[in-house]
Amino acid sequence: MANRFGLPNLGIGLGLRTVHYSTIVESQPSVDWFEIISDNYVQTVGRPLDFLEAIAATYPIVMHGVSLSIGSTDPLDEEYLRELGALRDRVGALWVSDHLCWTGVAGRNAHDLLPMPYTEEALRHVIGRVRQVQDFLGAPLVLENPSTYVEFAGASMREWEFLGRLAEDADCALLLDVNNVYVSAKNHGFDPLTYLEAVPFDRVVQFHVAGHTDHGTHIIDSHIGPVVDPVWRLLAIAHERAQGASVLLEWDAEIPSFEVTHAEALRAREFIGAGP
Amino acid sequence: MNRELTADAIGAHERASATPVRRDPVPTAKARRARAALPEQAGLRSQQEIFCAAVMTPEDEPELLDEASAARLVTPGGTLSALERLAIYRTAYHARLIECLSDDYPVLKHALGAAEFEALCRGYVAQHPSTGPSLNDFGRHMADFCRTSLTGVAGFASDLAQLEWAIVLTIHAPTAPELATEELATIPAERWPEVCLVANPSLRILHFAYPVNAYFQASRSGEAPSIPSEATTSVAVYRTGRSIWRLPLTAAMVVLFESLANGTALGPSLALLEPLLANDPEAAPRVMAWFRQGVSSGLFSGIVAA
C-alpha cells in the first residue's frame, strides 16, 4: 500500500538545525533527506536561506511548518501561504506539512501548537481550511498529529477519529508522529495502538520520531534526547502498516553533534529494516 | 581598524515544533475567582479566545480561570487538574518567547544577569505580544523597551540591545557580492572623485553613548567585563557571505563611510573630512588606507554604473 499521493519514501532523514549547518555544508554527510522548519526560512532573505540553498542542492528537502494555524478561527494568513509556496519552489521541497492545531486567535500568536476541541464544528472548520490551503498550494497538505496536554470538555470524538475524518473529507495527507501518539496516550490515558488502528495509512507520507521528557504526572514533547524504545516499537508497527514511508528524527533541545544525531536517526533501521 | 567576527550561532533564533521544558517553573497565584468565563454553548471561537487569554496571562499575575471555570473548558486528567493542564501551555508560551529573546540578546542577558533579563523579557512579552507567524522580528522593540523599563543601566542596556538587534537584522538581510579591490583598480585615477559605491545591503552604521561593541567583544571572548562608563562610539555591522562582522569606526571614518553608503561620490565624501582632519599632515594617506580597508572588509558590494 504505497501512499495515495505518489509521494516518495525518502528513507531516514533528519530535521535540519542551525548548529549542524557548517558540518553538513563542509562534509556533505550521507543522509537520505532533510526536513526544514519552514518558519526559519520565511521573512528572511539572508543567511538561513544561503545555507538552505547550499544544502538543498545536494539533499532532498521537505518543509515542515509551525505557523499555518489551520485550526484557528482567524482568517488564513495568505501572505504566509504565499511565502510557503515561494520557499517550496525555491528549494524544490517535495511536500509541505504543518500540524493539526491552532497557534493563536484575534491577531495574537502564541507560537505554540495549541490543541483543537474535537467537535463537529471544529472538524467542519478545519476541513474547509485544509481545502483552501491545498487549492492555494496546488498540492496536498500534509498534516501532523500534535502532542496535547489537555482535552476539551465539549469534545464529541477522540483525536484519532477527528484526524481520520479530516483526512478523508479534506483529502489531505498525514504525517504521523509516533512520539506524539505516545505522549498524548500517556497524558490522556488511552492505548496508542487504539490510535494506530484508526489511522488511514494510505494517507501517511511521513513519520516523526523524537525524544520527550517524562515528568511523572505528564509527558512533554520536548524533542530532547534519544527516542525511547516504546516509541520505536510504535514506529515499527505504523511503518509496516503504511508499507513504508519517510522517517524523520526531530531533536530540538540540547542538540548533540551531527554524528550523534544522525546515529540516533539511523536506529530506525533496527525497527523498520534497512531503508526504502 | 580591525573587524571582529561574530560567532555563527549568535542572533539566530530557531523555531521548532517541540514544547520547551522549564526546569524551574514560575510559581503562580491561583485566581481568587475567575476573571473570565466560558459562555454557555461556547463555540470554537469562544473556546479559542478564552484558551488563548488563559495561556497568555503573565506568569506573575494570578491565573485567569479558577478550577471550576477551567474544568468547563478542558477536562481534568488522572494526574493533573484542568488548571494544571492549562498551565503547561501557559508555561510553554512564556518559555518559548523568553528563549527567543535570549537567542537574540545573549550578551544583554549576560550583562543584566539571568534573573533580571528574564524579568525584562516577561515585561516585554506582555507589552509586545507576537502578532505574526514569524519570530524573526519579535525582539525588534528591545532597545526602546530597555530605555523605558530599566533603571540605572537603561542607557547601556538599550545601546547593547541595539547592537545585538543589528546583528539579527544583518543575518536576515540580503546576501550581496563583495566589491573586489581589483574592480576599483580598473577605474582611471582621474575618475575616482566621481565614483559612487553600492553599500553592502546588510550594512548598518550604529552610534552609541556607551562602548557596547568593546563590551560585546569582551563578553563573547569569555571575559567578565564591568558595565562601562559613557563614551561615544560607532560601529559598522554587516555580513559578507555567511560571516557577520563588527567594525569599530572613528568619527572621521563614520563621516566617510556614511557618506559613501548614502551614494555620495568619493570626491565629495572625502571633502567632508577636511574640517575634521585639517591639522593632520598624515590625513590623506590615512584616509585612503581607511577607504581601501573599508572596501576590502566588505562594506561595499559594487560600483554604481556611470
Side-chain angles (χ1 to χ4, degrees):
Chain A
M1 179 178 58
N3 70 70
R4 63 168 62 202
F5 303 97
L7 295 173
N9 179 354
L10 298 171
I12 299 170
L14 271 182
L16 180 63
R17 302 297 181 254
T18 309
V19 292
H20 296 152
Y21 278 166
S22 297
T23 303
I24 295 165
V25 169
E26 287 161 18
S27 62
Q28 304 218 332
S30 174
V31 180
D32 291 344
W33 60 289
F34 286 104
E35 179 191 77
I36 62 166
I37 298 294
S38 315
D39 309 78
N40 292 327
Y41 304 94
V42 298
Q43 297 193 5
T44 179
V45 288
R47 192 172 67 178
L49 275 178
D50 235 34
F51 275 107
L52 176 57
E53 288 189 325
I55 292 165
T58 305
Y59 300 93
I61 298 290
V62 161
M63 286 167 56
H64 184 52
V66 292
S67 294
L68 183 59
S69 202
I70 197 73
S72 173
T73 48
D74 275 3
L76 281 167
D77 185 338
E78 291 198 4
E79 180 55 33
Y80 178 69
L81 285 174
R82 265 190 290 279
E83 288 193 81
L84 287 183
L87 179 63
R88 175 193 59 186
D89 297 343
R90 184 170 184 160
V91 300
L94 291 161
W95 60 82
V96 176
S97 68
D98 205 294
H99 300 81
L100 172 58
C101 72
W102 56 292
T103 59
V105 74
R108 303 270 292 263
N109 199 322
H111 298 282
D112 198 357
L113 309 177
L114 303 176
M116 293 299 297
Y118 297 127
T119 63
E120 294 292 338
E121 180 200 10
L123 181 59
R124 285 193 304 276
H125 178 71
V126 180
I127 288 169
R129 283 164 67 99
V130 171
R131 287 178 179 153
Q132 272 182 272
V133 171
Q134 294 185 142
D135 287 347
F136 199 101
L137 295 175
L141 176 65
V142 182
L143 273 185
E144 176 184 345
N145 58 303
S147 281
T148 61
Y149 312 110
V150 300
E151 291 178 308
F152 279 79
S156 58
M157 66 189 95
R158 302 305 295 265
E159 182 177 296
W160 51 87
E161 183 188 351
F162 190 98
L163 189 70
R165 288 177 60 188
L166 168 66
E168 294 297 332
D169 290 355
D171 195 19
C172 66
L174 295 176
L175 189 176
L176 186 66
D177 187 320
V178 288
N179 181 59
N180 288 353
V181 171
Y182 181 86
V183 168
S184 294
K186 289 288 182 185
N187 288 340
H188 305 312
F190 62 78
D191 182 348
L193 296 178
T194 304
Y195 197 116
L196 294 192
E197 285 296 329
V199 171
F201 277 99
D202 61 331
R203 295 183 176 278
V204 174
V205 301
Q206 185 187 338
F207 294 105
H208 270 171
V209 289
H212 56 243
T213 304
D214 192 337
H215 288 273
T217 53
H218 61 285
I219 299 181
I220 296 288
D221 178 33
S222 57
H223 298 182
I224 292 177
V227 180
V228 299
D229 278 355
V231 170
W232 284 124
R233 286 196 287 271
L234 285 179
L235 175 69
I237 295 166
H239 195 266
E240 186 178 359
R241 288 184 187 174
Q243 293 182 11
S246 308
V247 175
L248 183 118
L249 171 72
E250 296 179 294
W251 197 321
D252 286 297
E254 299 169 13
I255 304 174
S257 70
F258 179 83
E259 290 72 21
V260 171
T261 313
H262 192 207
E264 179 64 15
L266 293 179
R267 277 200 68 205
R269 288 177 176 163
E270 298 169 27
F271 296 88
I272 65 168
Chain B
M1 118 178 156
N2 292 314
R3 61 181 183 168
E4 294 152 338
L5 184 64
T6 301
D8 278 357
I10 288 181
H13 178 70
E14 188 167 42
R15 290 298 314 280
S17 59
T19 304
V21 174
R22 271 198 70 96
R23 305 208 184 280
D24 50 345
V26 178
T28 190
K30 299 280 182 202
R32 282 193 198 153
R33 67 168 183 269
R35 289 176 284 134
L38 195 65
E40 293 295 330
Q41 305 296 319
L44 181 59
R45 180 76 181 181
S46 298
Q47 288 172 311
Q48 291 186 340
E49 284 176 341
I50 201 160
F51 193 102
C52 213
V55 164
M56 292 183 179
T57 299
E59 290 179 291
D60 52 3
E61 291 181 12
E63 287 160 333
L64 183 73
L65 304 175
D66 59 16
E67 198 62 62
S69 53
R72 289 184 55 219
L73 180 65
V74 299
T75 57
T79 54
L80 297 176
S81 71
L83 262 183
E84 287 170 331
R85 297 177 112 192
L86 274 176
I88 295 171
Y89 289 96
R90 189 185 183 200
T91 300
Y93 167 71
H94 291 93
R96 181 175 283 107
L97 294 181
I98 292 168
E99 189 178 278
C100 171
L101 295 171
S102 299
D103 287 347
D104 286 347
Y105 296 103
V107 180
L108 179 62
K109 179 177 182 178
H110 181 262
L112 295 179
E116 188 171 352
F117 180 77
E118 183 163 325
L120 179 77
C121 291
R122 290 185 183 286
Y124 185 95
V125 170
Q127 189 161 325
H128 299 289
S130 177
T131 56
S134 170
L135 282 173
N136 285 350
D137 67 349
F138 175 62
R140 67 191 179 280
H141 304 292
M142 185 56 92
D144 287 342
F145 190 72
C146 284
R147 199 172 295 286
T148 56
S149 63
L150 291 175
T151 53
V153 294
F156 165 76
S158 179
D159 276 4
L160 184 53
Q162 194 188 344
L163 174 62
E164 293 199 279
W165 187 245
I167 292 169
V168 173
L169 292 176
T170 299
I171 288 171
H172 295 296
T175 303
E178 291 176 55
L179 172 60
T181 47
E182 295 77 22
E183 194 177 347
L184 273 177
T186 63
I187 299 172
E190 67 274 15
R191 294 202 53 207
W192 273 56
E194 306 159 29
V195 166
C196 293
L197 302 181
V198 179
N200 182 324
S202 68
L203 173 64
R204 282 166 176 78
I205 296 177
L206 307 168
H207 310 292
F208 302 114
Y210 289 82
V212 288
N213 185 55
Y215 183 93
F216 182 101
Q217 184 63 23
S219 174
R220 298 309 299 181
S221 302
E223 298 169 29
S226 305
I227 297 205
S229 304
E230 283 190 72
T232 304
T233 56
S234 298
V235 65
V237 179
Y238 61 101
R239 182 165 64 84
T240 59
R242 293 166 187 154
S243 301
I244 293 159
W245 302 96
R246 290 166 290 107
L247 179 66
L249 301 175
T250 64
M253 290 175 190
V254 168
V255 170
L256 176 64
F257 292 133
E258 282 190 333
S259 178
L260 290 170
N262 289 334
T264 305
L266 182 58
S269 294
L270 292 172
L272 293 174
L273 294 175
E274 285 170 10
L276 295 172
L277 303 172
N279 298 322
D280 183 353
E282 301 298 319
R286 192 156 57 233
V287 168
M288 288 317 292
W290 296 342
F291 174 72
R292 279 193 295 273
Q293 196 170 353
V295 170
S296 64
S297 295
L299 296 182
F300 302 98
S301 60
I303 300 169
V304 177

